[in-house]
């Protein structure tokens, strides 16, 4: 392995605390912790100053409007995400830099390198193609694409003309797609004929047309990734390659209001209905740009690999907009990390000389299980900064990532954020530190938050509480839930009022002011880094006509972090069987997709209920976690708890 420089040192006085070395400090964009104080003294001035680094067709009149539930940034300013991602670099003379490297899953297929100039041309052509289909500024466009460069092209093309995109994860079922297309009122859907996953071609076109059925979708644009044999319905379906071949390569980026809706992204709340999280153009651009730059220490020539799927917010911000606005190379991999073997990720790092790797703890844990010999085979010395996201990381996974992947020289940036926040919120900076296993860190400069108790008082060091973010709210924080502003107010601002955004995450702080995120305090799970509500799995299972009642709770899992466990009551006269279990799993697959699949299905005669008939999910949660079940005297049916203890193998 090539000689790699040490960038990180262990704190001699504290266990498991690491700091940047002088060398890393020298290289990093930020190395002086005075930035925190300065930004906190006037966050609006801080963000405004940073916003100047981007291109504005018209500068804002007012930086921040604090109106309750209707806060705004850069009011009166006009900008464009696609202009900032592409044109800005080309005008600065960097058009020949590589914007995207794409690696297909089949090893025999060649990787693709797309320069900024080429990407610009592709985006302009497709933007014109969308226009020719009647897409106008403000129209919502559905995107249901796998990990292929066209996913980035499609998002960029939408942003260019001001048509908000709504990307739906390609592994979601047609029904999930339909709900999202319906809610967004999308008239155009962009999909592919398929993609490769674990060596198998997957048909996506069929799922896309099923999902579009009964919605307002009039046109389906299909990218050819497989053999092009998909059946196309005349008048509705159009091949992407035909559309762009006819379109002009000239498409000026639309100057958009800073508050213009740039995209919707549906995410799980505590009910069965996903919510369309709304993001802006200007505020989102500024925070995506700056967090990508400072957190991963992006410099010209860097090759940044974020392993998320484009269907999740991490893919939006750190595959697409963040790295491209920084003019570096964003790396995309089409397939599965075990194809053809568990060395694939490390082979990719070596082959493409990846400089930053940003991934999820669940993937790290999965790779640890395969043994140290896989990363040991490859030269990983190009890596400089490592990142994690999506769920709390455990000490073992952190240390393995640090030692075996980062060679004890790369800082690990543990970024806490949410679909709602649009970009990273809490993490320590590579040039400032400290880097501590399981600890995300401080609010990014200009972001003020604290850990509060249920009464809204800040907790003491080490005490558990809830993470809240204070006004002035960070520029990329969501402006609301599409079509449901009441839900927005209630969900995020009823606990601590309109000046403090409630995150639904539990956390505690240490004596240095770092936050350790302990996980969701509502009924939202993080399953293998994928956000999912227990209520979504419940409503999926309830669609099976054999089910009379169902309750889903989460349970910790070694690899996936958390998994859903379903308690199912069958209709009268139906006996539990393997066949019914399979049928139930198939129902979840149909309604949500494989991400919603319960790890266990427990057939029960009854579940604990209050006297008013409400299911006590808290008790079920304790049962599957082997925790004390607490007071049962107020239950309608305390005897059912004993029966369930046997069913789940409760040891108490
Ligand atoms: C969790 C993903 C601990 C958290 C970007 C949050 C984390 C939810 C971290 C949002 C982290 C995200 N440490 N937990 N570094 N990052 N989470 O919307 O529970 O898919 O509320 O956004 O993931 O998930 P979402």
């Amino acid at each position: 392995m090539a000689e790699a420089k040490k960038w990180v040192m262990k704190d001699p006085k504290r266990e498991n605390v690491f700091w940047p070395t002088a060398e890393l400090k020298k290289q990093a964009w930020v190395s002086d912790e005075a930035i925190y104080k300065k930004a906190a003294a006037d966050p609006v001035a801080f963000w405004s100053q940073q916003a100047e680094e981007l291109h504005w067709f018209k500068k804002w009149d007012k930086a921040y409007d604090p109106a309750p539930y209707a806060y705004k940034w850069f009011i009166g300013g006009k900008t464009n995400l696609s202009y900032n991602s592409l044109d800005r670099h080309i005008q600065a003379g960097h058009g020949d830099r590589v914007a995207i490297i794409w690696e297909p899953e089949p090893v025999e297929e060649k990787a693709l390198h797309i320069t900024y100039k080429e990407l610009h041309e592709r985006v302009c052509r497709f933007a014109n193609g969308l226009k020719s289909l009647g897409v106008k500024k403000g129209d919502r466009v559905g995107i249901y694409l796998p990990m292929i460069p066209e996913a980035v092209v499609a998002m960029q093309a939408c942003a260019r003309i001001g048509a908000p995109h709504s990307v739906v994860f390609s592994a979601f079922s047609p029904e999930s797609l339909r709900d999202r297309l319906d809610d967004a009122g999308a008239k155009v859907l962009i999909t592919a004929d398929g993609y490769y996953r674990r060596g198998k071609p997957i048909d996506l076109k069929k799922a896309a047309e099923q999902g579009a059925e009964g919605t307002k979708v009039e046109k389906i644009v299909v990218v050819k990734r497989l053999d092009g044999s998909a059946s196309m319905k005349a008048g509705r379906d159009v091949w992407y390659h035909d559309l762009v071949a006819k379109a002009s390569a000239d498409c000026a980026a639309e100057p958009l209001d800073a508050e213009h809706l740039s995209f919707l992204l549906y995410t799980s709340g505590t009910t069965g209905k996903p919510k369309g999280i709304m993001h802006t153009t200007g505020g989102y651009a500024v925070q995506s740009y700056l967090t990508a730059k400072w957190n991963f220490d992006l410099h010209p020539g860097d090759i940044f690999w974020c392993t998320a799927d484009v269907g999740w917010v991490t893919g939006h911000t750190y595959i697409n907009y963040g790295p491209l606005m920084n003019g570096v190379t964003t790396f995309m991999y089409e397939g599965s990390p075990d194809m053809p073997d568990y060395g694939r990720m490390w082979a990719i790092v070596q082959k493409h000389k990846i400089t930053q790797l940003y991934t999820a703890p669940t993937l790290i844990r999965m790779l640890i299980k395969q043994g140290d010999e896989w990363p040991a085979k490859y030269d990983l010395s190009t890596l400089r900064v490592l990142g994690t996201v999506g769920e709390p990381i455990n000490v073992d996974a952190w240390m393995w990532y640090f030692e075996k992947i980062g060679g004890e020289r790369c800082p690990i940036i543990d970024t806490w954020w949410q679909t709602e926040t649009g970009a990273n919120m809490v993490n320590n900076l590579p040039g400032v530190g400290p880097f501590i296993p399981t600890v995300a860190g401080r609010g990014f400069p200009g972001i003020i938050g604290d850990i509060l108790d249920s009464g809204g008082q800040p907790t003491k060091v080490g005490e558990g509480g809830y993470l809240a973010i204070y006004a002035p709210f960070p520029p990329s924080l969501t402006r609301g839930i599409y079509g449901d502003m009441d839900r927005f107010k209630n969900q995020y601002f009823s606990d601590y009022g309109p000046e403090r955004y409630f995150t639904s995450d539990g956390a505690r702080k240490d004596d240095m002011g770092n936050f350790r995120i302990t996980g969701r305090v509502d009924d939202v799970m993080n399953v293998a880094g994928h956000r999912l509500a227990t209520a979504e799995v419940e409503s999926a299972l309830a669609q099976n006509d054999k089910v009379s009642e169902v309750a889903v709770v989460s349970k910790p899992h070694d690899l996936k972090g958390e998994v859903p466990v379903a308690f199912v009551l069958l209709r009268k006269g139906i006996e539990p069987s393997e066949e019914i279990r399979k049928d139930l799993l198939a129902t979840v697959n149909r309604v949500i997709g494989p991400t919603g699949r319960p790890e266990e299905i427990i057939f029960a005669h009854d579940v604990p209920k209050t006297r008013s008939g409400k299911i006590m999910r808290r008790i079920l949660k304790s049962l599957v976690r082997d925790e004390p079940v607490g007071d049962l005297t107020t239950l309608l049916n305390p005897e059912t708890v004993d029966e369930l203890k046997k069913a789940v193998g409760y040891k108490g």
Side-chain angles (χ1 to χ4, degrees):
M1 187 181 282
E3 181 64 28
K5 288 180 187 143
K6 292 265 180 209
W7 296 88
V8 173
M9 61 186 170
K10 202 167 165 43
D11 190 325
K13 293 191 243 47
R14 289 175 184 253
E15 209 189 339
N16 276 354
V17 173
F18 301 85
W19 297 95
T21 59
E23 206 171 349
L24 177 52
K25 279 182 170 296
K26 210 165 87 201
Q27 142 109 25
W29 286 107
V30 183
S31 55
D32 184 354
E33 77 171 308
I35 188 84
Y36 287 99
K37 250 200 175 143
K38 200 173 146 222
D42 191 345
V44 176
F46 168 78
W47 287 110
S48 307
Q49 196 191 345
Q50 299 305 327
E52 301 272 2
E53 292 193 17
L54 294 180
H55 175 83
W56 295 83
F57 297 103
K58 176 181 173 286
K59 203 182 154 172
W60 54 92
D61 307 315
K62 192 176 168 203
Y64 184 68
D65 176 351
Y69 318 112
Y71 46 88
K72 293 183 182 67
W73 276 93
F74 309 116
I75 302 109
K78 288 199 186 284
T79 186
N80 185 291
L81 277 160
S82 178
Y83 189 95
N84 277 296
S85 301
L86 306 170
D87 308 57
R88 200 164 64 90
H89 310 307
I90 296 168
Q91 265 158 35
H94 306 314
D96 293 326
R97 285 188 184 157
V98 177
I100 300 180
I101 302 179
W102 176 69
E103 169 123 337
E105 188 187 81
V107 271
E108 61 283 1
E109 229 182 290
K110 268 178 90 171
L112 202 65
H113 290 66
I114 305 170
T115 66
Y116 273 91
K117 261 194 213 146
E118 289 163 351
L119 183 59
H120 180 262
E121 186 188 327
R122 288 187 186 215
V123 169
C124 287
R125 282 187 191 277
F126 190 48
N128 282 327
L130 288 173
K131 282 188 193 169
S132 73
L133 297 178
V135 176
K136 292 191 196 62
K137 179 172 148 182
D139 289 347
R140 280 80 57 215
V141 173
I143 300 180
Y144 188 52
L145 282 172
M147 289 290 287
I148 53 177
E150 285 80 1
V152 171
V153 173
M155 284 193 256
Q156 288 282 343
C158 287
R160 199 158 183 91
I161 60 176
H165 53 69
S166 170
V167 183
V168 179
F169 182 37
S170 57
F172 276 156
S173 68
E175 284 194 27
S176 296
L177 173 64
R178 186 178 311 134
D179 288 347
R180 287 157 173 80
L181 291 173
D182 229 3
D183 193 83
K187 280 189 288 190
V188 169
L189 174 64
I190 305 160
T191 189
D193 56 351
Y195 57 98
Y196 290 96
R197 190 80 187 167
R198 294 221 158 80
K200 266 207 271 165
I202 310 272
D203 182 353
L204 193 63
K205 171 71 185 355
K206 204 149 79 253
E209 53 191 28
Q210 281 171 6
E213 232 172 73
T215 70
K216 292 211 178 82
V217 170
E218 290 158 10
K219 297 279 176 197
I220 304 182
V221 183
V222 186
V223 178
K224 178 174 168 284
R225 167 66 185 123
L226 302 182
D227 60 8
S229 65
S231 74
M232 302 287 277
K233 187 171 161 191
R236 184 195 64 186
D237 300 348
V238 38
W239 283 110
Y240 173 92
H241 53 265
D242 290 339
L243 189 67
V244 294
K246 279 188 261 156
S248 143
D250 210 2
C251 177
E254 182 85 19
L256 299 170
D257 278 334
E259 286 290 313
H260 182 77
L261 179 68
S262 63
F263 66 86
L264 290 176
L265 184 56
Y266 285 81
T267 190
S268 300
T270 49
T271 68
K273 189 178 179 294
K275 43 194 180 183
I277 298 298
M278 300 199 283
H279 282 292
T280 63
T281 298
Y284 173 79
V286 173
Q287 197 174 328
S288 302
Y289 163 77
L290 192 69
T291 52
K293 178 176 174 177
W294 284 6
N295 289 339
F296 304 102
D297 200 36
L298 298 181
H299 292 271
D302 279 352
I303 302 170
F304 180 76
W305 183 13
C306 164
T307 67
D309 190 279
V310 289
W312 304 94
V313 73
T314 310
H316 284 60
T317 308
Y318 298 101
I319 289 176
N320 178 14
Y321 296 116
L324 293 182
M325 279 192 283
N326 276 281
V328 300
T329 303
T330 186
F331 176 84
M332 288 176 88
Y333 170 53
E334 176 182 39
S336 179
D338 58 351
M339 285 300 294
D341 57 41
Y342 283 102
R344 185 63 180 269
M345 280 187 64
W346 319 125
I348 286 174
V349 170
Q350 172 178 296
K351 175 175 166 197
H352 295 289
K353 303 190 164 40
I354 304 290
T355 45
Q356 289 89 357
L357 177 66
Y358 188 27
T359 192
T362 190
L363 186 59
I364 299 171
R365 288 192 292 264
M366 192 265 273
L367 292 166
I368 291 176
K369 234 180 90 181
Q370 311 310 320
D372 299 351
E373 60 273 25
W374 291 108
K377 278 194 213 173
Y378 298 94
D379 179 0
L380 309 178
S381 64
T382 51
L383 289 171
R384 288 203 333 264
V385 179
L386 301 177
T388 76
V389 61
E391 46 178 324
I393 185 165
N394 49 310
V395 179
D396 289 350
W398 198 101
M399 288 309 298
W400 186 85
Y401 197 31
F402 180 66
E403 289 168 5
K404 305 289 188 260
I405 308 307
E408 294 183 34
R409 67 180 191 282
C410 305
I412 294 184
I413 312 302
D414 179 351
T415 61
W416 175 90
W417 59 300
Q418 306 174 309
T419 305
E420 291 87 339
T421 73
N424 295 163
M425 299 287 279
V426 174
N427 61 264
N428 285 337
L429 296 169
V432 179
F435 318 111
I436 314 171
T438 77
V439 173
R442 284 186 272 188
F444 188 87
I447 299 178
I448 321 297
D450 207 344
I451 317 295
L452 307 178
D453 63 21
S454 45
Q457 292 305 312
T459 54
K460 294 193 192 74
V461 167
E463 233 173 61
Y466 309 102
L467 175 64
I469 306 294
Y470 292 3
F473 292 120
S476 72
L477 188 67
T478 176
R479 302 299 193 262
I481 296 174
Y482 193 67
D484 199 349
M485 289 309 272
D486 284 340
R487 189 174 178 194
F488 173 63
K489 280 190 205 171
N490 291 335
Q491 170 74 46
Y492 307 105
F493 302 104
S494 62
D495 292 72
Y496 299 131
E499 298 283 292
R500 294 186 291 183
Y501 168 90
F502 176 61
T503 62
S504 298
D505 272 296
R508 54 188 86 229
K509 58 192 165 199
D510 68 14
D511 58 346
M512 294 184 273
N514 296 299
F515 299 159
R516 176 167 177 255
I517 315 294
T518 47
R520 299 287 299 205
V521 294
D522 55 5
D523 292 321
V524 171
M525 303 171 273
N526 289 308
V527 182
H530 294 162
R531 180 164 160 182
L532 182 71
T534 54
E536 279 173 273
V537 184
E538 285 179 3
S539 74
L541 284 166
Q543 289 190 26
N544 186 301
D545 58 10
K546 299 185 184 73
V547 171
S548 84
E549 219 169 345
V550 56
V552 172
V553 294
S554 70
K555 173 183 171 174
H557 185 274
D558 282 353
L559 289 182
K560 298 179 185 168
E562 275 181 292
V563 288
V565 177
F567 291 83
V568 173
L569 278 59
L570 294 171
R571 279 192 198 284
K572 231 186 163 142
I574 301 179
E575 287 303 314
S577 68
E578 193 44 38
E579 202 181 314
I580 290 183
R581 186 189 307 275
K582 281 194 187 138
D583 188 40
L584 293 174
L585 291 176
T587 304
V588 176
N589 236 355
R590 175 174 60 76
V591 181
I592 302 177
T595 39
R597 201 184 155 90
E599 183 80 5
E600 279 173 58
I601 292 180
I602 293 159
F603 293 108
H605 291 109
D606 207 355
V607 284
K609 287 182 185 146
T610 62
R611 296 213 170 114
S612 57
K614 202 173 159 264
I615 299 176
M616 291 289 283
R617 290 180 179 73
R618 176 180 59 76
I619 294 175
L620 296 175
K621 210 165 165 174
S622 304
L623 284 174
V624 299
R625 287 164 191 249
D626 250 329
E627 287 167 358
V629 288
D631 182 22
L632 303 178
T633 53
T634 58
L635 288 184
L636 176 75
N637 50 358
E639 68 289 347
T640 134
V641 176
D642 282 329
E643 185 196 320
L644 290 176
K645 277 184 179 169
K646 277 186 217 124
V648 301
Y650 182 80
K651 292 176 212 77

